[in-house]
Amino acid sequence: MSLPRQLRDKSDFDQLPNEVPVSANIADAQEKRGFTSYYVFVIEVKTKGGGRYLIFRRYRQFYALHSKLEEKYGAENKSNTFAFTLPVLPGKVYVGAKREIAESRIPILNIYMKKLLCLPSWMLMNEDLRLFFYQSEFDREQVPKGLRRLRPRTRRVKSITHQAPGFDRMAAPRAEALFDFLGTNTLELNFKKGDLIYLLSRINKDWLEGVVHDSTGIFPCAFVKIIQDLPPEEGTISWLRCYYQDDTLSIIRDISVEEDLSSTPLFKDLLALMRREFDRDDIVLNYRDSEGDLIRLDSDQDVELMVSQGRRRPSEKHFFPWKLHITHQDDLSVYNTSPGGGTSQALAVKGQ
């Protein structure tokens, strides 16, 4: 590359905002049980300003991003003067074990993200690219089950000895060292058996972060005995409220779903989930429209309409804004078929 080109590229990069992502690496792939079982990639993102955080992305989100970039900047787009060759994204796989597929994609996706973030500086300001690497509220609430491909992170904090006068050491989260621990790098905390360690955070199920003798770092949980544990983190499970009714039974069930509250399920996944939960195959899914009438779901388009209408209404925290009504597939009496307001049974259901 010529010197003028290098200087121009460096100048363009220097003008980018500090929160722009400059590198990303997959730390783990973990299974989620949402509307269907799937694997999500835990990705550590580093920004130009030195910040780093975790995001959680499914393969289909990679695919959606790539499709948008191809449409705008792909080499086949002759109408765009900024068209260029994008890095290769591994294709969809329709047959095979989900875990093995996810694991095999990790090195290829790492290369894909590396090449993507090495594109011209102006591309880093692309809205679709920035949204993909942006840490959403949903990402911030997630707790990784493990970071097999990434050493747990730590942070610098003020020494525990400089806390305000009101700091209660006996109430603080703390642990006693059961064995000596000598860290292998500057991120890890050194301590000896019997040391009292004040806890700062739980990195994952195997590592904690704490302070001892004015030093801050991370250490394995197996080396300590918890005296006062960290307060439990707020759950990140979303809930779907379901109303089930037949001739003899009417119940309300809240079903836990590991999905973002803004997500829209596929009809087949939603139906399969309800059949598992209620252990019945002869059911149909419905929702209530703005008039209070039950509307049967038969397709992805119906689900999208239900979700769209649900988002306009207030909802409880951690609950999807839309609700499902499950009925028997042959029971048509629950539907309002008359222009004037329907049968008495339909009205009874309507008032539930």
Side-chain angles (χ1 to χ4, degrees), residues 288-320:
R288 292 204 180 279
D289 64 10
S290 57
E291 299 297 323
D293 295 322
L294 283 184
I295 306 296
R296 181 177 289 194
L297 299 171
D298 287 312
S299 66
D300 290 341
Q301 289 74 24
D302 292 340
V303 175
E304 290 171 3
L305 180 60
M306 172 189 68
V307 172
S308 175
Q309 292 185 6
R311 287 172 180 165
R312 302 172 193 165
R313 305 168 187 167
S315 60
E316 298 179 53
K317 188 176 182 181
H318 298 308
F319 274 81
F320 286 93

Side-chain angles (χ1 to χ4, degrees), residues 145-147 150-153 181-185 187-189 191 199 201-210 217-224 230:
K145 297 176 182 177
L147 299 172
L150 188 75
R151 185 169 295 278
R153 299 165 295 136
F181 179 71
L182 183 62
T184 58
N185 59 54
L187 295 179
E188 296 177 351
L189 185 67
F191 52 77
L199 306 179
S201 68
R202 184 176 296 279
I203 304 299
N204 56 41
K205 65 183 181 66
D206 298 318
W207 290 78
L208 290 163
E209 181 185 24
I218 59 175
F219 55 91
C221 305
F223 278 68
V224 301
L230 290 159

Side-chain angles (χ1 to χ4, degrees), residues 35-36 58 60 259 263-273 285 299-300 303-304:
F35 301 112
T36 184
R58 298 173 67 168
R60 71 183 187 186
E259 296 274 5
S263 61
T264 301
L266 297 175
F267 171 71
K268 65 179 181 64
D269 294 338
L270 200 55
L271 181 59
L273 175 62
L285 312 183
S299 66
D300 290 341
V303 175
E304 290 171 3

Side-chain angles (χ1 to χ4, degrees), residues 66 69-70 73-76 82-88 115-116 119-120:
H66 188 77
L69 296 180
E70 276 284 1
Y73 307 109
E76 297 181 0
F82 296 101
F84 53 85
T85 302
L86 289 165
V88 177
K115 291 183 176 180
L116 205 58
L119 291 173

